[in-house]
Amino acid sequence: MITTDPTTNVGMVRLLITDVSDADPLFTDDEILAFLALEGGVKRAAAAALETISRSELLVSKKITTQDLSTDGPAVAAELRAQAKALRDQARQDVDDVVGGAEAWAISVVDFDPHAAYRVWW
């Protein structure tokens, strides 16, 4: 059983890469969680998943023509890579929209205790 609930991060990644078949999923939930951990966002994780599928397509399908049937693994792989690039561009734009086009930064305000170094805390 895989997570296909689109309100979860795993479900959102599955939705973006159309991996929603319980019968024959492309990735396990753990693999999608790994993409999320590695990439730090749903769209970037989906892009990484598409790139992984693309590499598999290149390795397995190749370009084959026999009689009246043909497959073009390299073309499919190229389209998957284009989709991955589009998702990465969208993720980058999402970040730019949030921070107004500037580089992300943050500041924390903490209480200052000038005697903290001289106190014993145990």
Side-chain angles (χ1 to χ4, degrees):
M1 190 69 161
I2 59 170
T3 303
T4 57
D5 178 2
T7 63
T8 65
N9 286 346
V10 170
M12 284 187 261
V13 171
R14 284 194 188 283
L15 183 63
L16 287 170
I17 65 172
T18 65
D19 183 18
V20 293
S21 170
D22 274 332
D24 192 24
L26 298 173
F27 298 104
T28 66
D29 284 356
D30 287 341
E31 290 168 329
I32 291 180
L33 286 169
F35 287 132
L36 285 162
L38 288 168
E39 298 294 327
V42 169
K43 289 181 180 177
R44 286 184 175 92
L50 287 172
E51 290 166 345
T52 301
I53 297 167
S54 166
R55 286 188 292 276
S56 295
E57 188 67 29
L58 273 174
L59 292 172
V60 174
S61 293
K62 313 255 187 284
K63 184 170 183 171
I64 302 167
T65 303
T66 60
Q67 297 171 355
D68 61 344
L69 175 67
S70 67
T71 63
D72 194 346
V76 172
E79 180 59 29
L80 289 168
R81 287 192 305 274
Q83 291 298 316
K85 182 185 180 317
L87 283 169
R88 288 190 192 285
D89 291 345
Q90 289 174 15
R92 190 173 302 110
Q93 184 61 45
D94 291 347
V95 170
D96 288 347
D97 290 346
V98 169
V99 296
E103 289 190 31
W105 61 275
I107 187 168
S108 295
V109 178
V110 296
D111 292 330
F112 177 70
D113 183 356
H115 304 291
Y118 305 105
R119 289 202 181 99
V120 177
W121 293 98
W122 58 86

